[in-house]
Each structure stands twice: as C-alpha cells, then as structure tokens.
Amino acid sequence: MSPGHEAESAATADLGFARLDLDRARRQGAPEVVFGPGKSAEQITAIVGELLQREGRPVMVTRVEPDAVVPALEAHEGGEYVVGARLAVWGRAEIAADVAHVPRITVVSAGTADAAVASEAAEVARALGAVVDRIDDVGVAGVHRVLEVSDRLTAADVVVVVAGMEGALASVVGGLVEGPVVAVPTSVGYGAAFDGMAALLGMLTSCAAGVVVVNIDSGFGAAMAAFRLARAARRLAAR
Amino acid sequence: MSPGHEAESAATADLGFARLDLDRARRQGAPEVVFGPGKSAEQITAIVGELLQREGRPVMVTRVEPDAVVPALEAHEGGEYVVGARLAVWGRAEIAADVAHVPRITVVSAGTADAAVASEAAEVARALGAVVDRIDDVGVAGVHRVLEVSDRLTAADVVVVVAGMEGALASVVGGLVEGPVVAVPTSVGYGAAFDGMAALLGMLTSCAAGVVVVNIDSGFGAAMAAFRLARAARRLAAR
Amino acid sequence: MSPGHEAESAATADLGFARLDLDRARRQGAPEVVFGPGKSAEQITAIVGELLQREGRPVMVTRVEPDAVVPALEAHEGGEYVVGARLAVWGRAEIAADVAHVPRITVVSAGTADAAVASEAAEVARALGAVVDRIDDVGVAGVHRVLEVSDRLTAADVVVVVAGMEGALASVVGGLVEGPVVAVPTSVGYGAAFDGMAALLGMLTSCAAGVVVVNIDSGFGAAMAAFRLARAARRLAAR
Amino acid sequence: MSPGHEAESAATADLGFARLDLDRARRQGAPEVVFGPGKSAEQITAIVGELLQREGRPVMVTRVEPDAVVPALEAHEGGEYVVGARLAVWGRAEIAADVAHVPRITVVSAGTADAAVASEAAEVARALGAVVDRIDDVGVAGVHRVLEVSDRLTAADVVVVVAGMEGALASVVGGLVEGPVVAVPTSVGYGAAFDGMAALLGMLTSCAAGVVVVNIDSGFGAAMAAFRLARAARRLAAR
Amino acid sequence: MSPGHEAESAATADLGFARLDLDRARRQGAPEVVFGPGKSAEQITAIVGELLQREGRPVMVTRVEPDAVVPALEAHEGGEYVVGARLAVWGRAEIAADVAHVPRITVVSAGTADAAVASEAAEVARALGAVVDRIDDVGVAGVHRVLEVSDRLTAADVVVVVAGMEGALASVVGGLVEGPVVAVPTSVGYGAAFDGMAALLGMLTSCAAGVVVVNIDSGFGAAMAAFRLARAARRLAAR
Amino acid sequence: MSPGHEAESAATADLGFARLDLDRARRQGAPEVVFGPGKSAEQITAIVGELLQREGRPVMVTRVEPDAVVPALEAHEGGEYVVGARLAVWGRAEIAADVAHVPRITVVSAGTADAAVASEAAEVARALGAVVDRIDDVGVAGVHRVLEVSDRLTAADVVVVVAGMEGALASVVGGLVEGPVVAVPTSVGYGAAFDGMAALLGMLTSCAAGVVVVNIDSGFGAAMAAFRLARAARRLAAR
Amino acid sequence: MSPGHEAESAATADLGFARLDLDRARRQGAPEVVFGPGKSAEQITAIVGELLQREGRPVMVTRVEPDAVVPALEAHEGGEYVVGARLAVWGRAEIAADVAHVPRITVVSAGTADAAVASEAAEVARALGAVVDRIDDVGVAGVHRVLEVSDRLTAADVVVVVAGMEGALASVVGGLVEGPVVAVPTSVGYGAAFDGMAALLGMLTSCAAGVVVVNIDSGFGAAMAAFRLARAARRLAAR
Amino acid sequence: MSPGHEAESAATADLGFARLDLDRARRQGAPEVVFGPGKSAEQITAIVGELLQREGRPVMVTRVEPDAVVPALEAHEGGEYVVGARLAVWGRAEIAADVAHVPRITVVSAGTADAAVASEAAEVARALGAVVDRIDDVGVAGVHRVLEVSDRLTAADVVVVVAGMEGALASVVGGLVEGPVVAVPTSVGYGAAFDGMAALLGMLTSCAAGVVVVNIDSGFGAAMAAFRLARAARRLAAR
C-alpha cells in the first residue's frame, strides 16, 4: 500500500483531506460533529455526505458561514441552517426517538448580545434530542430577574449559563439549582472583558461549587456536555 | 435593630465573622463546604460546630493545613483529616444513605505528581456518597496505558481527569467514553506550564467535544460537579 | 544652595530619604498617608513624627508589619495597630470633628478570607471620620444572604464591596443600591483567580453600571475614595 | 404557563429576546441603559419604545452605530444621536428637573484622540442632569497645561479623567483636587499600550489615593459613577 | 566610501533595501529564504533574481500573497506558487540531487483546518529534497486514528506534528515514535485557544520527552529543522 | 470667564478640541509633535497652522494616513509626506541651522520588513537636524553582516536598532559600540512574536548593558531620544 | 478483578501509585525517565528499583532534591547524584555500548548563571551515550566570544543552546552551524525576563531558520531531543 | 587542543566556568560588570581577581548578597559593598580621572520604597565617574514637589527617573527637561502593579517624547545607559 491512502478500517473513513471517525456514534452515542472553519464548501459537502451515509443523524456543522455550507445543504436533503448560531443541522429528530427519558435543558443567557452563543447551545442540544427551555437577558444587575425565573431553572436537568462581561450569572444560578450547571463564557463586552477572558476566569473561580466551564463562545461544547450529563443521569436513574 | 447583628433568618447563621448559608442542604442537597484559607482555627471550629448542629453531615473543610483544623477535630467528634488532600471531613456516610442511585466516579490522573489533587477529588466524592475508582499515572506519552484501563473508564458514570503539564489526557479520555468528563488542570509542571495555565487552556480547547473544566487544582470542584449529576439522576429516576 | 538639600518650601518637608507633602491637608482635607513597604522602622518613626507635628491627625501607615511600626508607636503617643489590617493609626477622631456631614459607609465582603482587606477599608474609613457598618461573608452563591442585608446596603452613602475569586458580589450589589459602589478585588482564591486578576477583570466589566474599582487588595484605596465623596458633600452643602 | 413566556411581573418586561428591568428607575434613579452591540435595529426600536413608555426619560443606547439606531430615532420622537460618542439619547432634561443641587462634573481628557470616550462620558452625564465642563488635550508632558485649568478641576463635584497611553493624568489630577476622581483608561496608543492595558494598570496603581477606575473606553461607566457619586453627595449635603 | 553603499563583500549582497547573506548556502547548505511580509513585489523580484543568480536553487518566498509574488514568477523562470501554503518555490530538485541519504519526513496534522500550515511544512521540506508523507486529520479524540497510522509515523526519519486547539497530538505521537518529533502549534481554534497559545504551551510542556517546538503556524520552521537533521545525518554517515 | 474657553496663557493655545503646548520649543528645543490617530483632517490642518505660526519649524505629524494630512499639506506650504513612515514634515532644516554640533545617527534594522519603522526614525531625526546613516536588513542569523558594518555603527553618536521577531540585533550591536543604543522593537513577525512583545522583552533584558528601549514600532520615540542626547551634548560642549 | 489493581500487562507495571511504561525502551530506545517533583523518597526508591530490574540502564530521576533520592541511591547500586543538575543517574554507559556512531553534542550556555540547566542537559546526554562538549558563558554582547568557539560549535552533530534573559545566543549560533540547534530558554534574569518568558519568545521567533525550542529550564528535554536526533541520524546513516 | 580548554585569545579569559570579555574596556570604555545571581563566592572571587588584574577599575558585582561577595572583598583590596544597592565596587575613582567633561546625572525617585533601585543607579554611575545628584520621594500626586526640584532636574546632563506603581513621574519629568531621560520601572507596588509591569508599560507609552526605558528594577542598566550617553556627549562636544 502506497503512503497516503491505506485501506480504511471499519472505524475510519479516509477522504484524503480528512479522516472521519466512524466509530464515534457507537462509542459516544452521536456522530462526529464537523468544525466549519478552514474547510472549503467542497470538503464540507463531502464530509456531510459520508457521515449521513455511514453514521446516521444528526449531522452538524458548527461555526460555518452560509457560503461554505449552502452546497452541502443543496446536495444533501433534510438539512437546515440556523442563522444566529452559524450552525447547519441534518436530521434533528432521530436521536430523540431513541431517548427514554428526554432530558430537559435550560439555556439561560445574561444579555441579548449573548444570543448567538445561546442559540448554538440550544440548537445543538435540540438536535441531540433534548427539550430546551431558553431564557434570555437575565442580568444579575437586576437580580430579581433571576429569581423570577428560578422555577424554570430548577426544573431543568442541566442548566447552561451563557454570559459575557463578568459572567456573574453562573455563580448566582450555581447557588440556586441543585443539578449540573455548565457555564459558557462569551466574548461579549469590551476593554477589560478581553474577548471573554474576564468571564472565563470568573466562571472558573465561581464561589458556587461544582459549576463547570467550557471554552469561550462554545455553545456547542456546552450542549455536548449537557448531552453527556443527561445520558449519564438517565443511566444512573435506570439502575 | 442595630447595624452589625440583625436577627438571623432561618436561612442564615450570622457568626459575626461569617454568615452561614443554612438553606444549602435543602436547596442543593449538601451543606455549605468550608474554604480553609484565611480562616483561623477558632473560626473553623465555630463554623464546623454550627454546620454539624444545624445542617447535618458531611461537613468538609478544604485546603486546610493540619494546625488550623486540629482544634475542630478535637472539639467535634467523628471527623478525620486526609493528609494529601488537605481535607477535613466529618460524617462521610450520611448523605450516601440518602442517595438512591449511587454514582460511580473514576478519578484518573496523568502523573504521580497529580496525586494530591486526585486525592481531594476522590475523598470529597466519597464523602458525598459516591463509589470512587482511582487510577494514577496514566500518561498519554504511553497511550497503551490509557487503553489498558479503558474498561474502568467506560464503566464510570462520571470520569474526573486530573492532569498537569499539557493536560492531554482529557482529550484522549474525552474521546473514549460517552459519559461526562470533568477535567481538572493541575499546577504540576514548570516553565511554560505557568502554574497550570497550559493544562487549563489545553483542556478548554480540547478537541473532544463536551469535556468540561473546573479551576486549576480544584479536585473539590470536580467532585461537586459529579455530585450535581447524581442529584440530577435521582430526580430523573423519580419522574 | 548645594544640591541635595535645598531650603524647604512651606509645602514640602525634606527628610533626606523622603519629601513629605505638607500641603496635602490643605489641598485634600487629610494628611499624606504613609505606604509602609520598603521603609525602615527609623524612617517610619521620623515620618510619623513630622506629620503629627506639622499636619495633625489622623496619621496612618498602611501595609506595615508590627516590627516596622512598634518604634513609631512607642515614640509617638496616641497611635494604635490594627492587626488584621496591617494598619497603624494615630488620632482617629480629629478629622471627624471637622466633618459636618458624616458619611455612612457599608463595607461588605464576599467571604471570611476577605476579612483583612475589608478590615483595612473599614479602619481607614473610621479614622477619616466615617460611620462604618461592616458585613462579612455575603457570597452570591447564596443570593438570599445578599437580599437579607439589602436594607443595610441601601442605607449607606457609599458601599464598599470586597470580594476575591470571581468578584460577582459587586454586580449584585451594584444593581441593588443607588449610591456609589466601590469594588475592591482581593487576591483570595487560587488557580484561575490569578492573585486577584479574575476579580479585577470581573469588577471592571460588571454589568451593573457605574460600579468603580480600585487596586487589588486595596481596602485603603476604597476608603480614600469614600472620603473624597464626603468632602464633595461638604462642599455641596456649603453652596 | 408554558415555558418561555411567563406572566410579566411589575418589575420586568419580557420581550422574548430581552427582559427589561422596569424597576431600575425606582431602585436606582434612572432607567436601564441599552448596550448596543449585538442588538438588531428591530430589537433596539422595541426596547427603546418599551422603556420610554414604562420608565420615562432619559433613555439611552450606548456603543451603537447609526444604522442600528436610526429606525428607533424615527419611530420614537425626541431622540438624538451623538456621533463621536456613538450614543443615542431620548429626553435629556427630565431628570435634571428633579435635581435640587445640580451636580457639576468636569470631564478632562489627556489627548485629542481620547475625544470619543470623553464625549460619551460628557453626553451621558448631561442626559442624567449634570452640568458638564469639558477640557480636552491636557497632557502631563506639559504639566503647566494641567495647572492652568486647576480652577476648573477643583470647582467640580466629580472629575472624570479620560486618558490613554500611560494614563498619568489621573495621578496628577488625583493629587490636585479633593473630590472624587473617576479615571477612564482609553485604548488610545499603540504597541505597549496594549489596547488600554497600560493606562488601566497605571490608573489602578495610581499614587494618588482614592482615585477609582472604570472599564477601558467606558465613558458611559464613568458618567454613571459620577451620577451615583453626585446623588450621594446631595443626600449627604441635605442631612 | 560614502555611508550607505560600501563595497559588497563576497558574503553579502547589498541591494540597498536588503543585505542578502550570500554565504548561507556554503555555511548551512541552503540559500537564504525570503520572508514575504512587508516586502513589495519589486523587492521580492529583485531578491529572488539575486539569489537565483548567486546562490542557486531552491529559492523560496514564504507567507507571500499571490499579488506580491506574481511579478517575480513572471520574471524568473522555473518558479511555482503553492496556494494553501502561501509559498513560492524556484527549483525544488537541485538540493535533493546533492543529498546522499534522502530523509523521509512525515507531516501529520490534527485537523483539516491545520492544512495550510501542514502544507507549508510539506512543500518546504520537498523543496529541500525530502521525501514527504502527509497525513491529515488525525485527532486524538479518536485515538484509534493515530494508532492506525502508527506504521507511517514510525517509518519516518522525522515526524512533524501540526496541531491547533490543545495540541495533544504531539504528546501521543511523541510517545509512539523513537525519532525526532517537531511540533508546530497552529492558530486554529477560538476562545481559550488564544491564537495558538494553548497549543504552544501544551507542546512545550508535553509529557513526551524530547519533543521540540517551533513558532506558531511555522510550517517553514519545522521543515528547516528537519532539514538540519538530515544534514547532521549525512555527516554522521560520512564518519 | 465662562467654563470651556478661558483666556490663553502665553504657554498654551486653546483650539477648543486641543490645547497646544506653545512653551515646548523654549523648554525642550523643538515644537510639540502631532500624534495623528484620532484627529480629523480639519483638526490637523488647524493644529499645524497654529504651530507653524507660533513655534516655528519643524512641525511634524506622525502615524498619519495620506487622506488625513493632504488638506494640511495643501493649506500650509513647505510640507512633505514620507509614505513608508506615515509622516508629514514641514521645514526640516530650521533646527539643524541652530545645532552647533550636528549629531550623527545610524539607524540599523534587522529585516526589510522593519523598514517602515526605521524610516520613521530616520526621517524624524533628519527633520530635527541630524545626519542619518541608514543600514537595512542586518540580521544576526548572518552575524558577519553585522560585523561588516561595524565601522558605520561605531562611527555614530547614537545607534538606533530597529528589529522585530526576537530583536537580538540590539544585544549584538549593544556589545560592539560604546555609544548610546536605542532599541526599537517592531511588530514584525507572527505567532509567538505577539505583535512585538517578543522583541520588546528581549530588548529590555538584553545582556548588553545600557541598551535602552522605546515603545513597539516607535521610530519616532527613538529619534526623539537621539535628539535629547544631541541637546545634552551641546550643553556639555558649552561648559 | 477488583477495581484498582488489574493484572499487569507486559507493557505496564502497576505500583499502585504509579503505572510504569515498561515498553518504553523497546519503543523509544531508552527507559522511562522519572520526574522527581511530588514523589516521596519511598516512591522514587520503588520506581527506580522496578525500572532497573525490568528495563535496564540508564535510569534517571530529574529535578530531584538530595533528600528525596538518597534512599534510592543507597538501595540500588551504581547510581550517582549530580548536584548542580539535580539529577540522579544509574548506569551511564550501557546505551553507549550499543551506539555505532556516537553522537557529539555541544552544550553552549550564555552565562554562568545558566550552568544548572546546561549541566542537566550535558549529564542526561552523557547518560544516554553521547560525547558532550560543554562551553559556558558565551554571551552575544561580546560576539567575538561566540566566533572564537565556532569550530567547536560546527564540529557538533547537535548543538544545545542554553540561555536566559533575551536568549539571543540561539539566533547567532543558529546562523553559524548547519546542524540541528535545540534552544533551551532559562529562567535566569529578572524583571521583564518574566521567569524565562522573554527567552522563550525570543527563541521561538528566532530569525535563524530551523532552530527548535524546548520548555523553560528543560535541559532534560534538550538532551532527549538531541538523543532522538542522534538516533535518527544513525538510522539515516545506516541506509 | 582538547575540547573544553582552548588557548585563550587576547580578548577572552577562559576560567572554565566563565569566559571573560577582556576586550570590553577597550571597546566600550569600562570593564565587564559581573551579574551576581547564580554565581558562587569562589567564582565571584576568581572573576573579580581576573578583571582587576587584566582590565583595571572599576570592577563591579551587581545584585549580590553579602555572603557571596565577602570573600572577594577580603581577597582583593579596595572594594566596598553598598548595602541597599546589593552592589560591590572596586575602585570608583579611576575612570573619573579620565573624564574631561564629567557628566552630571540626577537620579530622581518617586517614593521611598524605590530607594534600593535608585541607590544602584546612583552608585554605579558614581563608580563610572559621574557626579550624581539624588532626589527621593518626588511623587506626582503632589506635583508641586516635582516643580520644586525642577532646577536640579534641568541642571542634569541625564536624568534617571526611578518609579514603581504607575510610573507617571517619567512623563512629568520627560516634559520638563530637554536632556535625555532614562526611566527605570520598579517592582514597588502590589496588586495591579504586577511586579513592575504597570510602571513598565506606562513608561514605554509615555506621552513625553523621547523617554527611554530599561528593565524593571535595573538601576544598573540606567546607569550604564547614562554612561553611554555621557560618553557620546563628550565625543560630540569634542568635535
């Protein structure tokens, strides 16, 4: 076998420019998700096709501009593009059908400017089969706004908190609810917000014990974490 | 009412130098945990006494040196000090009795030098009622060592990954298991490790989707995150 | 006149190693405050003596260890050392007598570990003639603890918020009260707290409009800011 | 009530994409201010309308480009756009009528390049009812320029210092006046100015005691802080 | 001799705007490589001409946009532009002919988005006479993908690992092969990736002993490092 | 006198948007230099006019784009725009006539990409009356290139070293010459160059004793430092 | 099999607190090296014993204080402690016997203060079978000192450059020799050296193409890299 | 000649652990200065002896603790230790005798805590033959203190400004005097002073044109820079 194109194993598809992990759905319950930046429209179209054929739905492309994903949406039926979230999704419902206890995830954001990240979190979670409740613009500078929605927060199996600037919402919510809290710092803010650094450090050092953190602006990461947590809770509950 | 000593509400105990959150156990399923640094032995003794009397067990003091906690251990029966973890615990078993669905947590660390943080994670999780499996010294530079323990990793409800230096173990484990992975960066390393910064950034940007991160060296935070999951599971089971 | 020892002006005292600003009390309503680090006991004794003689009280030395200030306390009557605050003060009451409109300052801290900084803020403010109400250990992870003391917060002319870790208390208080909020980030915390950087950035980017910030651990700076306000009020009253 | 649209409380208006704090004027003496970035023209128009109807004037939108706010200006009478400050304001005068002792705020900037931030500070302060004196281009490299305007500085109830590069003007002014000094670091400068970091650190560590700092480029924050300070001074003066 | 244009030594060509190191090929086995940024098309054309005439091939221009290099490609025959790598090369084969023991270099990248950097590494190495095997998209989150290509990795004389985000691939590969591993962090990723900082720190602190690192995005640096090794090998072989 | 427009002192011209330091030429031997960024074409035209009329030549505007300075060049005769340096100058020769001992300045840069900064340094120095020798592209990776020009380096009264990337040229030159070496780090480079940070730190920690440093990319600052030296020399000569 | 002690595979020894990689010598040509920090004397003694018995020599413990390794040296014959390098070594010669073409490594350091790191590099390289030439105190501020030793530099198969402060020696050496240059930044220096950051960034951005870098103060890493390079060169030479 | 001890050239003394630059006095007018940290008392004694014998005076050792230099002071006559400056000097006067126009250097510091750095600057400058005027504790928060000493500042050939915290004194002095200003940031301060970073950035971005900067706490560097400037001025004056 010449270097560069060995025989594909069952677990990997070698497209030349990409090596897809075809074992992901078996191993982790959902297919590989495609990271959009740096991929051409042709590459995205090919990868999506391969994943749809081999792994089943949902197939997702994250952080993708419309131009780069329109060809894939035209080539492969059943996909849709969520503008604010810069997310393309094929086949939201399939995993949900397989879910005995559908997880309830609340995505709460601190400001209207955090909407794009909150939207990515919510849409990825929905694609993975969750029931999502989304609450926007709950800033701690008017803490009564948090308390007003505390029922919706405590009702969730997992709460995803999306906040930029100082990210204090994670601490307040982390102290109100008993279930898992996944905090997403956003790059919203200016000056000393340092593109999300202030919120990131604030969430990592939150005085609310057990709050966990994902990368800046990673609504996707939060949704995946929530999905991992919900699966684990289902498994524990079923014992 | 004079400033400085208002009447205590049911939810708060005002010790003058501290205001204990007595509503924590009701709201979140476990009493407030005491952060050791900056507190005198007298303050710790008083706080532990108040929590044991009002909230029940377990009561924990984290990041505490022996000198600062020996008086509390002498004054209040049933406590013990875990040397490596710098942790004092009173009454490990009580919450566990209350847990229908006991979570299984695997704490895996990348090197022997990460043992103190791994120990804090494991002991706090045990105090909160979890069954803990601990695996030390599983560096990715010998990736076969990770694969050898993959059964113990996939068997866990939650995997806590403790790693310093580049923190790459979180990515490898995050790709192997389907459940939640809580990554704890440690300050182990020198030079460009920058007291845990390298591991922290590495874990936040892990290519394994859905890995979540807590503060540097915070074994405690990882255990609390795992505990939040167990509470979510209990609730799911009750639906 | 030879270089090194020109004639002193009325506004400056040249002690050789130090040039005291004797115009400070006239210009700003309080004598120069002595920054302790890097000064010998002999230097401190000499400076305090000069200020007491020329400028009147209060005279304060900040961030000073007992060894460096005991000689000054022995040489000059009427001083006292506040242990937690590492502060020496001579003559607390004198300025207060000169203040028509005594300000009420509430110093609220997020955790017991912030006590040293809160103490510096409170003691400096008292020395300058304020009435101080101090509330410790009001963490936002139990937000009801903040709401319970909201009357004491809104009653203040200035609220000083002292918090380490993520510093979120500043945002919550900043949204509750209408008066000035001076936020003091502390170096309490570990890991991603980065010696107060997390709290500093969080307070600077607070979503509560009009919160102002002083240097990390600078209880002194917060008290001086509050004192500036009192002077402004005196002047307004005189219009 | 279905998730997503609970009944509005008296204190909150739920617009779906935003939850307005309708209690702000009662609690803090001025309505919520709208942070422009990340909001569409439609959202801004709706929010401004709601605030004008429920809370009264002034209503302000900060950091907003003309395109995003022209529809709101067309839809709601009485607004105006301040180009340099990127600020839209409806109804400057209303609060002023309510002010017994109109506060005098001097906004002094270090260089012509700081004008946009100084303008935001000045216009927001005017909208909130202050009398504003603005002095531009007072660099400390010609310290006589500072001394020439010292009367205008000492005449103010609050001085707002706007400076980029090394931000040294805050220290010089902080030593000249007795009243509150609010320092605003700006992102003016290049190289080691690091987008305002040099000025921010310099102002936080100013040797002039009691200088307080707001976020980089936050003329808005400085004006809000000045407004808080002026209100407090009025209250104190009235006792 | 007037200042500004001294006589050229044998080792330097003074073009006025540039001083070419004509001794480089003798001293280090390959001509100076031209760093594209900040040079005009005219300058590049002149430098390439001079190097081709004096030093022989290959002549390379790195990090160059097409507009800046097209005139040089038109003026000097035998060149070609590699789009993804932003690299122009004249005369790939000449050095190779001079190499007794042709080195085999494997360039392995962690994700499709790393392709541009991997391409620069591969093309520069080929120009210098190496046989290059390139493997893309071998992420550690599916560690079986690494193991599947381990034969191609261990077969190489030098492995160049190109990875962004957390850069963990360097550690896994560093533990699998016995030969030199040159790690290239890339600026792929967002948020806490901080433009390659996360990968850089991770690679520098890799638990795999003896992994070496070059600058962020410097595929060129990695190829040059590999070329230095090949020269060392030739010399060892000749002993 | 109404606030906003006090009578001008002899030492200051108040243009409303700017307060010119008219005492600069007397105090420091050269008029104020205009920092271009953030100033409109109208403002630049007015400031240049004022300075030409009151202070004499040279008048310089730095870091200015052509659009912003063309109106001033059209309105005021005798000016010229230096493209690479983004510098406008009126009246280069006037100060030179006043200089008894004309200083010789050598501006040496490490790479062709540093030319814009080197050009600013050279042109400002010439405008202030210096004789400038400029040597470009003297990288330390071919250290013989430095040694070849050592005569031109040691002949200078001041050497300005302009270098990006690691900035090592400052150390090598600093060890070769006995006179002052002013190092200018540039933002040339990528990745770990961090916009000039690598060169800045390298120059500040240079093992060559007595090398001094100015801001990143500040050719202007280096030229002014050289000019300060020349004034000192004139004075020494006059003793 | 109970959790915590599964049967050992041939490739791993599970000591409970450590999992030794027994496959390292086969896979990479040298046994696992023990990282000293955080390990007790008992643990080190046990690990060294296991490695000596299973893997053969050399066995090394790095960054270890005498107290922690004396018991191991007493328990296992043939070891020695190198004071400056904080290194313990058992059995230097064994690998060397296996080396056909013994590699020649020159370790050159910039200052006397870099000696500890240079010593670690030299001793580890010798233990692995290299012939080491060590040259200390070759600062670039006296560049003639570098040129004087250029024969010894060009004679080496690999040059290890150890330098703190600005680290410029790597660039000068990188331009003089044709073979591999491994740069080790050290934490020598103060102020803007930032514990090795200045040297690290400087070496990563070196204008000498193909210089590679290891972690700050990691003489060990440089030696291992040199060893990898020597192995590769031997293999190439043998083809 | 065996590796490790080649014949010494006239320009270098090889002591084994150190390679002294014996050409320094001829090339740069003063012998090499010994950097104390990391050198043993034996090494210092040997180096000092060599320099005294070969190069003449002054010989200086900087940043050296008494224990490490007492043996050298006992072995070699004529030396003295300056406690605050951590400096040992042999033979202050010799260079001065060679100086036609003795330079006058004013060292001005912002606070008493900066005295150690100011002392190093002053003592090194004196050892090199300058007449030094030292002014301590001239903070800009009392700007009249600066103006009071302006005659002593303008009388100097070079002014060295030593300041920690925000370092604003450099800007004020830089605008007052016409001669060279060398700014030394110090690590005095706490919190956001970040060990001198605030002062460093502030001085680099000073609005006073032509201020130059040396490393944090490097009184030595400032004195050497002043010495370079004085030599240049003498040379210019002699033309």
Side-chain angles (χ1 to χ4, degrees), chain E residues 38-195:
Chain E
K39 294 195 178 68
S40 68
E42 292 69 30
Q43 291 175 331
I44 290 173
T45 304
I47 293 172
V48 169
E50 194 78 16
L51 288 174
L52 284 170
Q53 183 181 344
R54 305 278 197 103
E55 288 270 85
R57 305 189 170 201
V59 165
M60 289 182 273
V61 186
T62 62
R63 303 195 148 242
V64 68
E65 299 304 327
D67 284 0
V69 81
V70 158
L73 289 163
E74 290 173 354
H76 309 295
E77 282 190 6
E80 104 186 60
Y81 185 72
V82 187
V83 178
R86 290 189 298 158
L87 177 77
V89 189
W90 281 260
R92 301 183 173 223
E94 298 200 10
I95 285 241
D98 179 44
V99 174
H101 304 273
V102 177
R104 298 173 194 158
I105 296 176
T106 293
V107 176
V108 59
S109 72
T112 305
D114 299 312
V117 177
S119 176
E120 188 188 53
E123 294 305 321
V124 171
R126 280 185 187 123
L128 292 166
V131 171
V132 176
D133 180 18
R134 185 166 156 198
I135 317 175
D136 282 348
D137 200 21
V138 183
V140 298
V143 78
H144 63 90
R145 286 184 293 184
V146 186
L147 300 178
E148 282 171 7
V149 297
S150 65
D151 284 356
R152 287 162 69 185
L153 296 170
T154 55
D157 298 317
V158 183
V159 179
V160 173
V161 176
V162 179
M165 298 176 178
E166 88 279 49
L169 184 61
S171 294
V172 175
V173 171
L176 284 176
V177 307
E178 67 168 8
V181 174
V182 181
V184 191
T186 74
S187 54
V188 167
Y190 59 91
F194 289 122
D195 297 323

Side-chain angles (χ1 to χ4, degrees), chain G residues 68-114:
Chain G
V69 80
V70 159
L73 289 163
E74 289 174 354
H76 308 295
E77 282 190 5
E80 106 185 59
Y81 185 74
V82 188
V83 177
R86 289 190 298 158
L87 176 77
V89 189
W90 281 260
R92 304 186 170 221
E94 298 197 12
I95 286 239
D98 180 44
V99 174
H101 302 274
V102 177
R104 298 173 194 160
I105 296 175
T106 293
V107 176
V108 59
S109 72
T112 305
D114 298 313

Side-chain angles (χ1 to χ4, degrees), chain A residues 177-191:
Chain A
V177 308
E178 66 169 7
V181 174
V182 181
V184 192
T186 75
S187 55
V188 167
Y190 59 92

